């Protein structure tokens, strides 16, 4: 297929673009390089450096589907600068949906987030039918974009799939996480393990969990990419579907530290810190719907996530 990948110079966009190229698709990347990297665009993809608001100028009727990764994704920053989040994550998705309809592009796969659910009522695996009550502007903008796509499906026949990612980590095909501001646990633990004098921080040791630290559902980026390939095949005009993407299980922060020690053979100097604002105790996905409707299932373990991320960080 001829595909447009917005945000294809970012972490997840670059991995998925590489997988799509390997599957034989023709890929154009649209990225403004505000947080992405030119050299993260896989060889074989065409790069157009532009804002997602200008998608109309890049799309044309020969494009068969859009994979929409472009967006801002830092929870803390979204609290400080909500305007940037509403503009890019909602305004950008609006511009893209309108451009898609104008050019007769009827298939779109969107990077949504577990942040749409907010603070879960219990530690039980989250289903797509659970209440979505975001607790920060990042989650609110992802939820608004999900709703926008649902209305475009109904009114304009756009087929769309919202993939709600839980905690994505790891590297694949030579592409991985290279954020300038790194907030995520796995890359921060690897920096500490690298022994450059950096110490990791454990945010919150008094959660009602098995060891007091927060539980998250860590998903290998290659398994995530596989879900996109399946979503692309499943997306059908006029229908909007939502899928949670996670393993259905979770690990505490201390368990992830243990995995980093085990896999790298290094010490992970770490200090206990207070909870980070707005971090729920447990966030785990139910992936039943993705299993049933997309035939998807993650196969890579936490140790594999850490090993691949470590290999990538090592260059
Ligand atoms: N954590 C630490 N130390 C760190 C970084 C994180 O202890 O240096 C903890 C966090 O408090 C949390 C867990 O490790 O309990 C995972 O934190 P991340 O920052 O890696 O990921 P989040 O769960 O906060 O964020 C993920 C996605 C977001 C999404 C959010 C939904 O990365 O995009 O889930 O709540 F918004």
């Amino acid at each position: 297929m001829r595909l447009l990948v917005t945000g294809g110079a970012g972490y997840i966009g670059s991995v998925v673009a590489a997988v799509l190229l390997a599957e034989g698709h023709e890929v154009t990347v649209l990225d403004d390089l505000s947080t992405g990297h030119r050299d993260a665009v896989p060889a074989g993809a065409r790069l157009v450096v532009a804002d997602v608001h200008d998608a109309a100028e890049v799309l044309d009727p020969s494009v068969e589907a859009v994979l929409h990764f472009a967006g801002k994704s830092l929870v803390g920053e979204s609290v400080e600068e909500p305007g940037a989040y509403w503009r890019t994550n909602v305004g950008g998705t609006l511009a893209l949906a309108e451009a898609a309809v104008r050019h007769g592009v009827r298939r779109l796969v969107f990077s949504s987030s577990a942040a749409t659910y907010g603070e879960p009522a219990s530690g039980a695996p989250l289903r797509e039918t659970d209440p979505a009550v975001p607790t920060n502007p990042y989650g609110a903008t992802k939820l608004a974009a999900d709703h926008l796509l649902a209305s475009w499906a109904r009114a304009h026949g756009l087929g769309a799939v919202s993939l709600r990612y839980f905690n994505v980590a790891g590297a694949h095909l030579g592409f991985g996480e290279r954020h300038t501001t790194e907030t995520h646990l796995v890359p921060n633990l690897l920096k500490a393990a690298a022994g450059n004098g950096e110490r990791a921080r454990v945010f919150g040791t008094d959660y009602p969990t098995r060891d007091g630290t927060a539980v998250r559902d860590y998903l290998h980026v290659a398994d995530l990419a596989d879900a996109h390939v399946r979503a692309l095949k499943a997306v059908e005009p006029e229908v909007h579907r939502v899928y949670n993407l996670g393993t259905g299980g979770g690990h505490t922060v201390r368990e992830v530290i243990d995995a980093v020690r085990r896999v790298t053979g290094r010490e992970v100097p770490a200090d206990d810190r207070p909870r980070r604002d707005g971090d729920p105790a447990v966030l785990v996905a139910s992936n039943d719907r993705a299993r049933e409707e997309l035939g998807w299932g993650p196969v890579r373990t936490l140790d594999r996530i850490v090993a691949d991320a470590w290999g990538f960080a090592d260059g």
Side-chain angles (χ1 to χ4, degrees):
M1 292 172 93
R2 292 193 67 174
L3 304 172
L4 180 71
V5 176
T6 76
Y11 168 39
I12 295 172
S14 64
V15 171
V16 177
V19 168
L20 293 169
L21 286 162
E23 294 251 321
H25 296 289
E26 200 179 303
V27 173
T28 297
V29 165
L30 171 71
D31 200 301
D32 67 0
L33 302 180
S34 57
T35 53
H37 309 272
R38 189 179 287 273
D39 64 359
V41 177
R46 182 170 78 103
L47 170 65
V48 178
V49 180
D51 193 289
V52 66
H53 286 94
D54 299 322
E57 288 154 39
V58 183
L59 270 181
D60 68 64
S62 73
V63 174
E64 289 158 88
V66 178
L67 292 104
H68 179 34
F69 300 94
K72 297 181 77 66
S73 63
L74 298 174
V75 171
E77 184 185 68
S78 79
V79 177
E80 306 294 320
E81 296 173 46
Y85 280 72
W86 284 94
R87 249 188 322 277
T88 302
N89 293 359
V90 181
T93 303
L94 172 61
L96 188 62
E98 288 184 322
V101 168
R102 191 165 336 131
H103 289 296
V105 179
R106 303 193 72 192
R107 290 177 171 79
L108 189 146
V109 177
F110 174 59
S111 304
S112 186
S113 170
T116 52
Y117 293 108
E119 175 88 45
S122 76
L126 280 160
R127 296 180 170 277
E128 293 82 353
T129 47
D130 282 333
V133 189
T135 50
N136 53 61
Y138 169 66
T141 60
K142 287 291 177 180
L143 183 61
D146 288 346
H147 286 308
L148 186 156
L149 294 172
S151 8
W152 254 250
R154 203 170 305 120
H156 304 300
L158 180 68
V161 169
S162 290
L163 299 176
R164 292 190 173 157
Y165 310 161
F166 282 63
N167 288 67
V168 184
H172 188 50
L173 301 177
F175 299 96
E177 210 162 353
R178 281 200 278 154
H179 295 122
T180 317
T181 309
E182 190 51 81
T183 61
H184 292 136
L185 180 64
V186 171
N188 282 338
L189 294 179
L190 293 178
K191 277 191 208 163
N196 303 329
E198 285 191 50
R199 299 182 66 80
R201 294 174 295 175
V202 177
F203 293 129
T205 53
D206 58 349
Y207 285 107
T209 59
R210 46 189 176 265
D211 62 19
T213 64
V215 172
R216 292 290 181 276
D217 187 339
Y218 295 91
L219 178 66
H220 196 295
V221 69
D223 286 327
L224 181 80
D226 178 45
H228 287 73
V229 170
R230 290 167 188 271
L232 194 56
K233 289 183 184 138
V235 60
E236 45 177 324
E238 299 177 15
V239 179
H240 175 245
R241 297 291 286 158
V242 175
Y243 296 99
N244 288 344
L245 298 181
T247 65
H251 296 281
T252 67
V253 172
R254 295 222 193 279
E255 287 165 359
V256 180
I257 292 177
D258 287 344
V260 171
R261 278 207 193 94
R262 199 163 49 235
V263 170
T264 65
R266 309 273 187 108
E267 273 317 299
V268 183
D271 302 314
D272 291 351
R273 292 292 168 94
R275 294 181 183 194
R276 214 167 48 176
D277 250 9
D279 272 352
V282 180
L283 262 183
V284 173
S286 156
N287 59 21
D288 294 352
R289 185 185 280 180
R291 283 185 185 278
E292 279 159 27
E293 297 184 13
L294 301 178
W296 174 78
V299 294
R300 295 165 180 87
T301 61
L302 177 62
D303 281 20
R304 176 73 186 277
I305 289 175
V306 172
D308 289 347
W310 181 241
F312 176 76
D314 239 12

